[in-house]
Amino acid sequence: MFEAMSVNSESQPVSEQERLRKVELNKLQKRLRREVGQAIAEYSMIEAGDKVMCCLSGGKDSYAMLDILLNLQKSAPVDFEIIAVNLDQKQPGFPEDVLPAYLAALGVEYHIIEKDTYSIVKEKVPEGKTTCGLCSRLRRGILYNFAEEQGVTKIALGHHRDDMLETLFLNMFYGGKLKSMPPVLHSDDGRNTVIRPLAFSREKDIARYAELREYPIIPCNLCGSQENLQRQVIKDMFQTWDKQHPGRLETMFRAMCNVEPSHLADPNLYDFKEGKRLGGKRQAVVQNAEPERDFGRLDVLNL
């Protein structure tokens, strides 16, 4: 009788809510997998024999990036290695056990780098000022040096399409430059290559995917509440546009991928006298730890 009851219990259909959740999760995973695969192929992000270092912050974007890359690795036409790395910045109250437990359960090779950048940032940045600029530069230098020590060929960051668009507008509005985060960035000295596999993916899709996957999200408590950051202003503007003018953000991103130098005004990109394109200025991966310009959340990892 007990066996009969057990069989009957196991054969009960899942709830409609759970069924719909699984359908939505499957659709989102397929979409993100397709977009990441497209970005990797279009920009030659990952090649045979690469050792890819996925930088994890404990935020939704880096969790999703690692998830999708591990999924793609199983069926990719080339063999590549993945390691996960987190920088423990010794922020008070940081849950040190969360990421190791999660990564160990995944079975992926991982490393936790312990560096007290928290104290440095709190010492250098005046009270009430934005900490993100210096914090990201310090993280960047530590992670790039670690990548070289580990023989890493590609450093994968969790920036997505919306981050790239936000950075474009931040540089236009506050920096006087027409530049953003490129999908691939090479250092002049050949030490590092940064890739952004989520370059074609929307933040709202990643956020919903992370919610459905129930990632153990770790918030960044270093900055505190900084709603007035310039990046947040741009983000709010984009959210309004997305609601009032559906498709506008998609069109804007296509424009980033379809640049005509002869119709801009940069003589480093186009020789207006001779009527021909030029190589332009090469943008290198910055190794120094001092902030060049602080736009708020210009973080290397998406927290």
Side-chain angles (χ1 to χ4, degrees), residues 24 33 39 153 208 217 222 270 282 292:
E24 184 181 7
R33 178 187 165 107
T153 57
R208 180 56 178 160
I217 303 297
L222 174 61
Y270 192 81
R282 179 175 172 80
E292 173 186 328

Side-chain angles (χ1 to χ4, degrees), residues 186-206:
H186 302 284
S187 62
D188 280 337
D189 58 13
R191 291 180 63 202
N192 303 108
T193 298
V194 172
I195 62 174
R196 296 183 170 94
L198 297 176
F200 291 165
S201 301
R202 303 183 300 179
E203 182 175 18
K204 61 184 179 183
D205 288 339
I206 295 169

